[in-house]
């Protein structure tokens, strides 16, 4: 690579920028664990922020007065998804009102590089040489179209097998020694994990293909016939690309019943070899592959469907025309900016209103209420005034103090935890009191998707309150 | 007594009359509509209204049927309304954002913050040193567009608005063309715009 090319990468490549970032340790440890190691797909911002919150809390615990990471979790996430960073992809999926985040392959690259820095106990080279031989054989024989040559190769392989069978029958079995086994296992583990991380890049490549196709269509200046030719060419683009075909082949291979079974058996076999100290996570790596491949497959399906819609002849022309018209609207609007024209769009009003006058109730005269505040002095004595004093008063200042005692500045705690320390004394009113806190330094948020159960006792006995998950943050 | 079938058809008809039916927001009505498409269409056809169902985008709405060929057109049932200049401008600019959003291959929905819409509109509003007034104006415009059903505030994210795809059906090339024509005419009659 040349000097300038490296310079550009150093300045511009998200992975390299991540390595240079001030809080690289936080980004890599958190996002790496969450997305790469735990193999998560796109997640909602609440879920990711909650996970980051826990992490930040742990990291800040050592110095609660001068936290290392003082900002709230959502802020960090937004930064990491900004165009200048590019370690997370931020989008609103259809069907959800919440921002979702997804790791980019650049994050994956940076993480892989950092984990690669950790010294390995030994580096196996022999098994790699075997793999190289194997690959070479596949290439050479795979490209061989002469039947004679193919037969020679097949016979050679049969002879080799025959010799092995004869040796086994004579009682000689060549066993790999533990080092050779460990070495092969190491290579397997590396490849298996790399495969998992490759999916993210595959997905990004698909998105790139899609974007390129759309750009080409959007900027098309030629005639309609050429356009159609271009459209037909593009339609096949994504699935017929090298990327598309390789991915499809992988997917078919993985999904075939016999392969699945073989993989399960082999992985179980590997786990039972004591000398290897196998990684337990790898036992089910094929499920992780399936998950990740399924995710990618879904993305690809979505992308091609959207692209097909975008390519739809009529819509393309309509979009074209809309853009032209918008341009002329913009120009006219600019020209008469200082005196806005009294004209507007004429649009249909969605919905048809039916107003039935007789559906409304007739005027109903209410009797005037009479108020007599003068009490008969004799009746006064019997009035039960306990109801006036019986209303509960919840001292919100006390509740706020509870929170300030438990929650360190700029961190977040579940309401349940606060109630564990300061049991509810005034029943439901007190819980509502927490929710209604309006102090400047405290923030109470409700998460409707999750549920909390708070138990407390009042005069009627043990009670349970069921409410959305409540978190309390302190600024 | 209504039969179950009649009940379903009637429900679908009423839902449509109330406004746009979205697959995403109201699965039940959408399924009813899909299942009983024919009687629903017949019902509206009788009064010169067309049911438009967009399967891909996932919305359905009513439109006046084009019956220009007939000697005596029916009175309009779907009302047309002239929007204010500011609302029109915002809708046009949002329409453009939708096209760009699709052309960039982005998936999911287009969500804009209030500030982004302020930025969109600011260029076209009269120069004003009163920043607060400009923002108030934009807020009013956003509210009106939301009332018309073209914007939807995200429930748990104040200040974030989804641009609903139905905008494409209502602000189509034809509508835009009429508006552009009127504007150009106006700009021609009031060059510079400072003279009144």
């Amino acid at each position: 690579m040349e000097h300038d090319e490296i310079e550009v990468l150093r300045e511009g490549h998200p992975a390299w920028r991540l390595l240079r970032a001030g809080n690289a340790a936080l980004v890599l440890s958190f996002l790496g664990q969450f997305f790469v190691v735990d193999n998560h797909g796109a997640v909602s911002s609440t879920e990711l922020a909650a996970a980051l919150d826990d992490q930040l809390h742990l990291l800040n615990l050592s110095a609660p007065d001068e936290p290392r990471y003082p900002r709230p979790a959502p802020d960090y996430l937004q930064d990491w998804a900004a165009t200048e960073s590019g370690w997370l992809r931020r989008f609103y999926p259809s069907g959800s009102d919440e921002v979702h985040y997804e790791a980019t392959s650049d994050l994956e690259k940076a993480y892989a590089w950092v984990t690669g820095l950790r010294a390995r106990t030994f580096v196996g080279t022999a098994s790699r040489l075997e793999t190289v031989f194997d690959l070479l054989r596949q290439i050479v024989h795979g490209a061989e179209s002469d039947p004679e040559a193919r037969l020679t190769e097949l016979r050679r392989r049969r002879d080799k097998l025959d010799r092995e069978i004869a040796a086994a029958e004579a009682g000689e079995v060549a066993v790999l020694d533990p080092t050779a086994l460990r070495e092969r296992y190491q290579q397997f583990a590396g490849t298996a994990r790399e495969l998992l991380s490759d999916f993210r890049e595959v997905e990004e490549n698909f998105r790139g293909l899609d974007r390129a196709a759309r750009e080409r269509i959007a900027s098309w200046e030629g005639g309609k016939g050429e356009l159609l030719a271009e459209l037909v060419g593009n339609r096949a683009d994504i699935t017929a690309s090298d990327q598309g075909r390789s991915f499809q082949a992988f997917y078919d291979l993985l999904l075939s019943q016999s392969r699945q079974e073989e993989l399960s058996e082999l992985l179980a076999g590997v786990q039972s070899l004591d000398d290897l100290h196998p990684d337990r996570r790898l036992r089910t790596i094929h499920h992780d592959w399936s998950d990740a491949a399924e995710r990618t497959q879904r993305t690809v399906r979505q992308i091609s469907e959207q692209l097909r819609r975008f390519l739809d002849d009529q819509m393309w022309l309509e979009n074209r025309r809309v853009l032209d018209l918008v341009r002329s609207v913009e120009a006219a609007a600019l020209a008469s900016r200082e005196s806005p024209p009294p004209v507007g769009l004429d649009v249909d009003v969605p919905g048809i209103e039916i107003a039935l006058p007789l559906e409304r109730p007739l005027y109903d005269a209410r009797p005037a209420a009479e108020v007599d505040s003068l009490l008969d002095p004799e009746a006064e004595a019997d009035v039960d005034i306990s109801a006036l004093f019986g209303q509960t008063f919840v001292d919100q200042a006390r509740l706020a103090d509870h929170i300030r005692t438990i929650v360190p500045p700029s961190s977040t705690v579940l309401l349940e935890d606060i109630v564990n320390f300061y049991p509810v004394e005034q029943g439901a009113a007190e819980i509502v009191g927490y929710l209604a806190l309006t102090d400047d330094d405290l923030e109470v948020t409700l998460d409707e998707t999750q549920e909390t159960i708070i138990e407390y006792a009042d005069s009627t006995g043990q009670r349970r309150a069921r409410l959305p998950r409540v978190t309390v943050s302190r600024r | 007594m209504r039969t179950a079938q009649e009940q379903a058809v009637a429900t679908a008809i009423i839902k449509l009359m109330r406004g746009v039916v979205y697959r995403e927001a109201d699965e039940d009505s959408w399924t009813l509509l899909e299942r009983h498409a024919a009687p629903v269409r017949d019902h509206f056809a009788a009064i010169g209204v067309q049911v438009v169902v967009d399967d891909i985008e996932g919305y359905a709405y009513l439109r006046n049927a084009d019956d220009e060929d007939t000697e005596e057109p029916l009175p309009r049932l779907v009302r047309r309304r002239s929007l204010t200049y500011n609302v029109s401008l915002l809708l046009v600019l949002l329409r453009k954002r939708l096209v760009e959003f699709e052309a960039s291959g982005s998936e999911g929905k287009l969500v804009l913050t209030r500030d982004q819409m302020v930025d969109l509109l600011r260029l076209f509003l009269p120069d004003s040193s009163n920043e607060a007034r400009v923002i108030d104006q934009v807020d009013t415009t956003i509210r009106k567009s939301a009332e018309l059903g073209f914007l939807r505030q995200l429930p748990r994210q104040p200040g974030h608005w989804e641009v609903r795809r139905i905008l494409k059906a209502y602000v189509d090339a034809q509508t835009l063309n009429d508006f552009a024509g009127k504007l150009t005419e106006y700009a021609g009659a009031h060059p510079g715009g400072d003279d009144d």
Side-chain angles (χ1 to χ4, degrees), chain B residues 58-155:
Chain B
Y59 54 65
Y61 63 101
L62 298 175
R63 185 166 73 187
N64 261 46
D66 308 316
D67 54 0
E68 285 158 11
D69 304 338
T70 39
E71 299 264 304
E72 272 182 273
L74 291 167
R76 271 190 88 88
L77 182 58
V78 179
R79 282 175 306 138
R80 271 185 98 70
R81 196 164 126 190
S82 280
L83 306 178
T84 63
Y85 177 67
N86 279 357
V87 172
S88 309
L89 205 51
L90 179 63
L91 293 185
V92 171
L93 296 171
L94 291 178
R95 182 73 179 82
K96 181 177 164 198
R97 283 300 299 259
L98 263 183
V99 174
E100 288 167 350
F101 182 71
E102 276 167 6
S104 68
S106 314
E107 64 195 87
K109 45 180 130 185
L110 172 59
V111 173
L112 296 177
T113 62
R114 184 190 70 166
D115 295 348
Q116 283 170 312
M117 287 195 263
V118 171
D119 283 345
L120 271 185
L121 265 182
R122 194 201 303 269
L123 178 64
F124 300 98
L125 295 178
D127 263 335
S128 166
S129 53
N130 189 347
E131 181 76 356
R133 210 182 92 83
V134 171
I135 289 179
D136 281 350
Q137 253 182 335
V138 177
D139 277 340
T140 318
T141 312
I142 291 176
R143 215 174 36 244
K144 289 248 180 64
S145 315
E147 275 166 26
L148 288 165
F150 297 126
L151 282 174
R152 187 176 71 101
Q153 177 147 31
L154 296 186

Side-chain angles (χ1 to χ4, degrees), chain A residues 87-314:
Chain A
W87 309 319
L88 286 175
R89 203 167 75 85
R90 183 177 196 273
F91 64 107
Y92 285 91
S94 49
S96 166
D97 286 342
E98 212 182 335
V99 175
H100 279 54
Y101 288 105
E102 195 179 44
T104 60
S105 72
D106 297 318
L107 172 83
E108 190 103 39
K109 279 191 193 122
Y111 189 70
W113 191 77
V114 171
T115 38
L117 291 181
R118 222 174 4 197
R120 280 184 285 175
T121 41
F122 81 105
V123 180
T125 42
S127 64
R128 296 213 184 207
L129 188 61
E130 295 266 3
T131 317
V132 169
F133 268 115
D134 231 31
L135 284 175
L136 278 175
R137 267 189 224 117
Q138 282 184 30
I139 298 170
V140 173
H141 301 300
E144 186 60 75
S145 56
D146 175 12
E148 246 346 282
R150 180 66 66 98
L151 277 175
T152 321
E153 163 63 13
L154 287 173
R155 285 201 192 96
R156 190 189 63 77
R157 287 202 329 231
R158 192 185 57 197
D159 291 348
K160 195 174 162 228
L161 272 179
D162 284 344
R163 275 200 302 280
E164 266 182 49
I165 292 170
E169 275 169 353
E172 300 166 29
V173 185
V175 184
L176 286 175
D177 64 65
T179 310
L181 279 180
R182 268 201 295 279
E183 181 186 334
R184 277 164 184 76
Y185 183 75
Q186 198 184 59
Q187 202 190 343
F188 153 70
T191 314
R193 291 210 184 86
E194 271 169 35
L195 192 52
L196 207 51
S197 83
D198 282 346
F199 284 115
R200 244 182 266 283
E201 199 161 348
V202 170
E203 235 177 81
E204 255 161 53
N205 284 353
F206 279 128
R207 272 203 198 90
L209 283 170
D210 175 57
R211 217 170 6 251
R214 281 167 197 259
E215 267 166 27
R216 215 159 45 226
I217 296 158
S219 60
W220 185 261
E221 297 289 347
K224 186 148 182 232
E226 295 158 66
L227 165 71
L228 284 178
E230 179 81 5
L231 299 194
V232 173
N234 270 321
R235 198 164 296 206
D237 226 356
I238 286 184
T239 32
S241 61
D242 274 350
Q243 184 72 87
R245 287 160 61 153
S246 161
F247 176 70
Q248 196 54 50
F250 168 86
Y251 199 59
D252 294 344
L253 207 63
L254 187 65
L255 283 193
S256 88
Q257 179 77 25
S258 56
R259 287 288 180 148
Q260 287 264 2
E261 280 162 15
E262 191 186 347
L263 260 176
S264 294
E265 271 170 36
L266 286 176
L267 285 168
V270 167
Q271 293 292 312
S272 64
L273 294 174
D274 293 333
D275 292 347
L276 281 182
H277 308 295
D279 180 349
R280 290 190 41 220
R281 278 191 55 93
L282 288 176
R283 170 93 175 73
T284 51
I285 190 83
H286 56 310
H287 295 309
D288 286 348
W289 286 338
S290 301
D291 286 351
E294 173 66 37
R295 226 153 39 214
T296 308
Q297 181 78 351
R298 222 174 12 236
T299 313
V300 174
R301 213 180 304 127
Q302 229 172 34
I303 290 178
S304 7
E305 198 174 290
Q306 282 173 341
L307 187 60
R308 203 170 312 126
R309 192 194 320 164
F310 186 69
L311 289 180
D312 184 308
D313 212 19
Q314 219 173 335

Side-chain angles (χ1 to χ4, degrees), chain A residues 16-27:
Chain A
W16 203 328
R17 262 200 315 247
L18 172 51
L19 296 173
R20 293 167 54 204
N23 57 0
L26 175 67
V27 187

